Amino acid sequence: MNSKQLHVACIMDGNGRWARKRGLPRTAGHTAGEESLADIVRAASKREVSYLTVFGFSTENWVRPRAEVRHILGLHKKLFGRISELNENNVRVNWIGRPFDEPGSRTPLYVQRAIRKAIEDTKQNSGMVLTVAFDYGSRSELTRAAKMLVASNSELTPANLQNFLYDASLPPVDVLVRTSGESRISNFLLWQINAAKIYFTERPWPDFDAVDLDAAIALTKN
Ligand code: IPE
Ligand code: IPE
Ligand code: MG
């Protein structure tokens, strides 16, 4: 077995289409997607994945209908509230996105609290790091990093720019997954996917399972 510790990143797409196919409201698709994520976190934590980074909500997603946005925010509160499950799986929670105290940040206070609490209550775990990208956009991340680099008067090098990313300790992505038949990157981890393999699947996120995860991981072996 290859013991390399992997970074898997997922653009969790297709919740709405999954629901529509079943005659359900889009919100039901997001609920199913959150459950699928909980399953994938468990499965990944039992494999050679040391970092799992998922796109929960983008800087572009705020324009969606208010009721849908509210539902998705509630699901993030639920996700970050799964503390005992995360602790059972030795998973440490992490978050990337527009910093709460900076202009432009849109994360409401109750989601901020849930994020802070999940990070605090899982910080002792030594297993997989689950990074949730919420109010995240790669262009915002890179623009901010460039501004900070200029302000620091450091030399403009890739290593110095990397230091100013939301989480400079995130390793490069080994495989990027996008579900539901779209082959777009949608402003996700543009810097970190530099050398990543890409796994596209037709399956919508609520149906993504451990078999798909293994297929994505297998891409990193060749
Ligand atoms: C992904 O599913 C979830 C988020 C972007 C928050 P979508 O809601 O984009 O589902 P589709 O693409 O409309 O099917
Ligand atoms: C990307 O999915 C964002 C998340 C998965 C959170 P979208 O469904 O928002 O992406 P586009 O707009 O189709 O590219
Ligand atoms: Mg979509």
Side-chain angles (χ1 to χ4, degrees), residues 7 22 27 32 42 46 58 71 75-76 81 87 99 112 118 131 136 147 151 154 158 163 170 187 200 212 216:
H7 184 179
R22 284 161 182 76
T27 48
R42 192 175 322 110
K46 293 180 172 30
S58 76
H71 185 84
L75 286 170
H76 279 80
N87 283 335
Q112 295 182 22
T131 303
Y136 175 85
K147 266 191 203 151
S154 328
N163 276 333
L170 264 193
N187 198 19
F200 293 121
D212 300 299

Side-chain angles (χ1 to χ4, degrees), residues 40-57:
I40 290 300
V41 169
R42 192 175 322 110
S45 72
K46 293 180 172 30
R47 287 165 169 75
E48 76 256 53
V49 179
S50 52
Y51 288 84
L52 176 67
T53 304
V54 296
F55 208 175
F57 198 77

Side-chain angles (χ1 to χ4, degrees), residues 107-191:
T107 305
L109 208 57
Y110 75 98
V111 179
Q112 295 182 22
R113 285 202 194 98
I115 291 172
R116 287 205 176 97
K117 185 168 189 323
I119 292 172
E120 177 63 27
D121 293 354
T122 63
K123 70 176 183 203
Q124 74 289 350
N125 293 334
S126 56
M128 187 179 83
V129 177
L130 168 66
T131 303
V132 180
F134 181 91
D135 192 25
Y136 175 85
S138 200
R139 286 187 156 201
S140 294
E141 176 181 37
L142 290 169
T143 307
R144 174 178 177 273
K147 266 191 203 151
M148 292 173 81
L149 178 58
V150 168
S152 76
N153 281 321
S154 328
E155 195 191 342
L156 179 50
T157 64
N160 286 343
L161 187 73
Q162 158 97 22
N163 276 333
F164 291 105
L165 297 180
Y166 292 142
D167 181 354
S169 72
L170 264 193
V173 173
D174 295 291
V175 59
L176 173 71
V177 170
R178 181 155 190 159
T179 57
S180 212
E182 306 297 345
S183 39
R184 288 194 292 277
I185 307 299
S186 300
N187 198 19
F188 190 45
L189 302 178
L190 299 178
W191 181 274

Side-chain angles (χ1 to χ4, degrees), residues 7-128:
H7 184 179
V8 177
C10 300
I11 302 173
M12 308 184 290
D13 199 15
N15 293 348
R17 278 163 283 176
W18 180 93
R20 193 173 63 216
K21 221 177 135 188
R22 284 161 182 76
L24 298 169
R26 292 179 59 83
T27 48
H30 294 308
T31 300
E34 195 274 337
E35 277 157 20
S36 179
L37 174 57
D39 291 345
I40 290 300
V41 169
R42 192 175 322 110
S45 72
K46 293 180 172 30
R47 287 165 169 75
E48 76 256 53
V49 179
S50 52
Y51 288 84
L52 176 67
T53 304
V54 296
F55 208 175
F57 198 77
S58 76
T59 50
E60 287 76 33
N61 285 150
W62 293 105
V63 300
R64 291 190 180 203
R66 265 173 68 184
E68 183 180 348
V69 170
R70 204 175 311 123
H71 185 84
I72 295 171
L73 298 190
L75 286 170
H76 279 80
K77 189 176 171 203
K78 183 176 175 197
L79 168 67
F80 288 112
R82 291 179 181 264
I83 308 287
S84 54
E85 232 170 291
L86 293 160
N87 283 335
E88 265 163 41
N89 294 307
N90 198 22
V91 172
R92 184 157 63 80
V93 173
N94 183 32
W95 160 78
I96 51 173
R98 289 187 287 197
F100 305 145
D101 56 354
E102 289 184 14
S105 160
R106 293 192 61 176
T107 305
L109 208 57
Y110 75 98
V111 179
Q112 295 182 22
R113 285 202 194 98
I115 291 172
R116 287 205 176 97
K117 185 168 189 323
I119 292 172
E120 177 63 27
D121 293 354
T122 63
K123 70 176 183 203
Q124 74 289 350
N125 293 334
S126 56
M128 187 179 83

